[in-house]
Amino acid sequence: MHKRIVYISSVLLMLFLTELNAQNFNVTNERTFSNLFNKHIDTLKNFHTSIKPFAKNEIADFDTIINSYNTSTNSGFLNKLTNENLIQSKGKKFKLIIDPIVNAGLTVEKNSTTSQTVNETAFGLNIQSSFGKKWSGQFAMLTDHSKYPSHIDALVQNKNISPGYDYSKNDQAFFGQANITFTADENFTFQLGYGKNFIGDGYRSLFLSDNANSYPYLKVTANIWRLKYMALYTNYQDIRNSDGNMKDYFQKLSTIHYLSINATKWWNIGLFESIIWQSQEEEFYRGYDINYFNPVIFLRPTEYAQGSSDNALLGGSMKFKIRKKNILYSQLILDEFKLDEIKAGTGWWANKYGYQFGLKSYDFMWIKNLTLQLEYNMVRPFTYTHSDFSTSPTQIHTLQSYTHFNSPLAHPLGANFNEAMASLTYQKKRWLIEAITTIAKIGLEINDTASIGQDLYIPNNNRANEYGNYTTQGLTTDIINSTLKVSYIINPKSQLLFQVGVTNRMYKNSVENTSTNMVFVGIKTAITNRYFDF
């Protein structure tokens, strides 16, 4: 644990030793807190909503929106607690903001056979700094000492991952993110960071989500005319068999390109591609392939030209605005397929693809600040997986799979599933009421050798069937998560929330049939999303 703290703290030191120059901070993508400004962002003219986290200087009137939630008080203590950052130092050029991170809560879990109470306890620090107009830096870290409901605890025990955080053992985990941003001008931004990125307009993303742990990255964005282009260079880790020792992590590298085009005021088109490869191939250290440092989109021809076995994904998205406040969005992810095989309808294993369709409606039913969101996701078996080309029996398998830190990089369910999501959110001043349901049907792996295409870590050349594959094959399992929660924004500047709610989780297959109720209460700092609805 202490090695991770030293690693992230070194980035913090860089923030203060580097001459920091702009208040172009990343805006949190945490879902509850972002309800305060989502409608404003989604209805802005010529704004590219699919590349997250947003840069603060992209959002017109962002500070005005946050300040509008300030409460009037004559008490200096209450004003500091509810309206201001804990520490804020402002000079002519230099700015420093420091806030605590607090995640403390209690969950009571009960089903037909068991009942337990678990505590969430995590504390940390959030620091933002800028100098002038061109440089800025952010740093956040927390240490987590928590116990979780049974289905989350099973994941922690099985994969040593606390969702969204890093390696977890003995109820201890760590989360960190940091970045240094150079804003060259109103068009070009360069960011060196350790954190998460999200591509899409949905609750889920089939391209790149914030489901997995943070990772090192270099991000270059260009925002010109009606175009926004992102080149993202990342370093992911495969932590299997490492027992949490960083020196035993297997490194894999990736280049991601995404082009967002506002073709009209109401129509957006997105183009996505990703190449992922392992840095060590047998005895050869490959490192970052210079061919993939090319910032121009569509590297697939380069990948073919090299005759490489690297894992390539292609995708496209569309978004339509209907009367400004109603938004239709979609994604299509292509891993591998043959049109003739799709037409044949024989269930060829390598027809690997997924799609998403969704709707957002702001001021739904003409009720101010009521938001409806509907979404459907489908991902075929074996999508995001890769073959094992190693010859050494000691080498870890499938480093090129679309994964990081024992977690999928896109949808939390991996592959081989259908999922529907519906949510209603109502916001009034600092109060938010959220109701959300996810209904998933997934085909789980039956064993860890002959894959049916759900577990992204099993090599897809160890597949059970060449033909006859279908979505939800394997141990067909129904998972329904329904949550109703009420949140109060204690402090919009520090993003501190109070939450209380209830969740029902139903899990059913031929082996298990359970219905679990969970009641939770606590306070949290809205730094990152954590997905427990799987």
Side-chain angles (χ1 to χ4, degrees):
M1 184 71 67
H2 70 281
K3 291 182 179 179
R4 297 180 184 87
I5 295 174
V6 170
Y7 175 75
I8 302 299
S9 296
S10 65
V11 180
L12 172 63
L13 182 62
M14 290 174 62
L15 300 184
F16 291 100
L17 294 183
T18 305
E19 190 175 291
L20 300 175
N21 280 310
Q23 196 180 332
N24 192 17
F25 302 134
N26 284 352
V27 175
T28 183
N29 192 38
E30 199 277 335
R31 298 193 180 278
T32 297
F33 187 82
S34 63
N35 281 303
L36 299 183
F37 49 80
N38 275 344
K39 181 172 72 171
H40 173 72
I41 289 174
D42 271 332
T43 55
L44 280 175
K45 182 180 178 181
N46 197 33
F47 191 87
H48 299 270
T49 58
S50 54
I51 299 176
K52 302 179 179 78
F54 304 128
K56 187 177 178 181
N57 72 341
E58 291 180 303
I59 306 172
D61 302 322
F62 181 80
D63 285 330
T64 302
I65 294 171
I66 298 301
N67 289 334
S68 70
Y69 295 104
N70 284 353
T71 58
S72 179
T73 176
N74 294 322
S75 168
F77 172 76
L78 288 178
N79 189 57
K80 175 64 71 173
L81 178 65
T82 62
N83 294 330
E84 296 181 355
N85 301 106
L86 179 64
I87 297 174
Q88 180 166 334
S89 174
K90 259 189 176 182
K92 196 169 183 180
K93 290 186 177 181
F94 180 75
K95 183 175 184 178
L96 174 65
I97 299 171
I98 301 177
D99 285 305
I101 298 174
V102 180
N103 288 348
L106 182 74
T107 299
V108 179
E109 176 189 14
K110 187 174 183 179
N111 57 37
S112 59
T113 58
T114 63
S115 178
Q116 67 168 340
T117 300
V118 295
N119 299 304
E120 180 179 7
T121 308
F123 300 98
L125 205 61
N126 187 22
I127 300 175
Q128 303 174 84
S129 182
S130 66
F131 190 90
K133 295 183 178 180
K134 291 190 178 295
W135 292 86
S136 60
Q138 291 173 277
F139 170 88
M141 62 165 282
L142 65 85
T143 57
D144 181 76
H145 304 272
S146 301
K147 294 184 179 295
Y148 296 102
S150 300
H151 74 291
I152 302 299
D153 185 65
L155 176 73
V156 174
Q157 301 305 321
N158 184 41
K159 295 189 174 182
N160 292 116
I161 282 298
S162 181
Y165 292 175
D166 77 345
Y167 187 87
S168 179
K169 190 174 183 179
N170 300 324
D171 300 320
Q172 297 184 56
F174 176 81
F175 172 76
Q177 59 185 21
N179 64 69
I180 297 174
T181 304
F182 174 66
T183 307
D185 52 36
E186 62 181 8
N187 301 121
F188 293 94
T189 303
F190 302 84
Q191 185 172 92
L192 179 65
Y194 177 81
K196 306 183 183 188
N197 295 271
F198 188 101
I199 301 176
D201 288 281
Y203 177 72
R204 311 289 197 189
S205 173
L206 304 186
F207 295 166
L208 178 65
S209 82
D210 51 3
N211 170 61
N213 183 38
S214 298
Y215 45 85
Y217 66 88
L218 170 64
K219 179 165 63 176
V220 182
T221 55
N223 200 336
I224 303 172
W225 189 52
R226 294 181 177 178
L227 310 177
K228 185 171 183 180
Y229 183 63
M230 177 183 72
L232 182 67
Y233 308 96
T234 67
N235 178 194
Y236 303 129
Q237 289 86 44
D238 191 315
I239 67 169
R240 289 172 293 170
N241 304 332
S242 69
D243 196 28
N245 296 316
M246 294 177 68
K247 63 181 180 64
D248 293 327
Y249 292 172
F250 284 80
Q251 307 298 318
K252 52 185 182 179
L253 305 166
S254 173
T255 292
I256 291 174
H257 294 149
Y258 185 75
L259 175 63
S260 174
I261 308 166
N262 285 329
T264 69
K265 292 180 180 179
W266 51 270
W267 180 27
N268 175 271
I269 302 169
L271 300 173
F272 166 84
E273 71 170 349
S274 168
I275 305 286
I276 193 166
W277 68 97
Q278 60 194 67
S279 61
Q280 185 83 29
E281 295 184 352
E282 305 294 343
E283 301 302 319
F284 172 66
Y285 179 76
R286 181 178 176 187
Y288 209 101
D289 193 320
I290 192 66
N291 292 288
Y292 295 148
F293 204 73
N294 184 345
V296 179
I297 196 168
F298 296 132
L299 289 171
R300 190 74 179 184
T302 301
E303 196 249 351
Y304 278 135
Q306 296 186 116
S308 85
S309 59
D310 302 332
N311 190 7
L313 298 169
L314 295 175
S317 64
M318 283 195 183
K319 182 181 74 172
F320 300 91
K321 288 184 182 180
I322 303 172
R323 301 187 69 177
K324 192 174 183 179
K325 293 182 181 180
N326 301 289
I327 297 168
L328 297 172
Y329 59 89
S330 64
Q331 288 185 336
L332 172 66
I333 186 72
L334 301 174
D335 189 348
E336 191 175 349
F337 76 100
K338 287 184 179 179
L339 188 58
D340 289 344
E341 293 285 1
I342 292 178
K343 289 180 178 179
T346 53
W348 186 46
W349 75 274
N351 285 335
K352 302 187 289 182
Y353 61 87
Y355 54 78
Q356 174 187 91
F357 296 103
L359 163 71
K360 293 180 189 176
S361 181
Y362 293 104
D363 297 338
F364 180 61
M365 297 295 292
W366 301 279
I367 300 174
K368 186 177 180 181
N369 294 332
L370 179 67
T371 302
L372 169 72
Q373 185 170 6
L374 303 173
E375 185 172 298
Y376 179 78
N377 296 288
M378 189 287 297
V379 176
R380 286 267 302 165
F382 302 104
T383 306
Y384 305 114
T385 66
H386 205 57
S387 299
D388 172 27
F389 295 103
S390 65
T391 58
S392 169
T394 61
Q395 183 168 353
I396 241 173
H397 296 328
T398 57
L399 282 176
Q400 295 100 324
S401 65
Y402 203 59
T403 56
H404 167 64
F405 254 80
N406 278 354
S407 303
L409 280 165
H411 198 291
L413 292 176
N416 193 27
F417 67 86
N418 301 302
E419 180 195 52
M421 186 280 295
S423 71
L424 269 176
T425 303
Y426 179 72
Q427 183 249 326
K428 186 173 180 64
K429 297 183 179 179
R430 293 193 181 195
W431 290 96
L432 294 118
I433 303 174
E434 299 169 89
I436 181 170
T437 295
T438 57
I439 303 172
K441 186 179 288 289
I442 182 172
L444 298 176
E445 299 288 349
I446 300 172
N447 59 64
D448 59 1
T449 53
S451 175
I452 50 83
Q454 189 274 320
D455 188 337
L456 308 191
Y457 282 100
I458 302 178
N460 60 34
N461 49 338
N462 291 349
R463 53 190 174 270
N465 300 299
E466 188 78 10
Y467 288 93
N469 295 282
Y470 61 93
T471 304
T472 72
Q473 66 184 2
L475 180 60
T476 303
T477 303
D478 294 305
I479 307 172
I480 302 175
N481 286 276
S482 300
T483 296
L484 175 66
K485 65 181 176 182
V486 179
S487 303
Y488 178 76
I489 312 295
I490 299 173
N491 188 324
K493 294 288 179 59
S494 63
Q495 300 166 195
L496 185 65
L497 320 177
F498 168 79
Q499 288 186 335
V500 60
V502 59
T503 293
N504 174 261
R505 179 177 186 267
M506 291 188 285
Y507 186 92
K508 181 180 179 180
N509 55 36
S510 60
V511 178
E512 180 181 348
N513 186 357
T514 60
S515 177
T516 304
N517 292 312
M518 290 164 273
V519 179
F520 58 90
V521 62
I523 60 174
K524 64 175 287 188
T525 304
I527 294 295
T528 187
N529 289 309
R530 305 188 71 191
Y531 298 94
F532 291 171
D533 52 348
F534 59 86

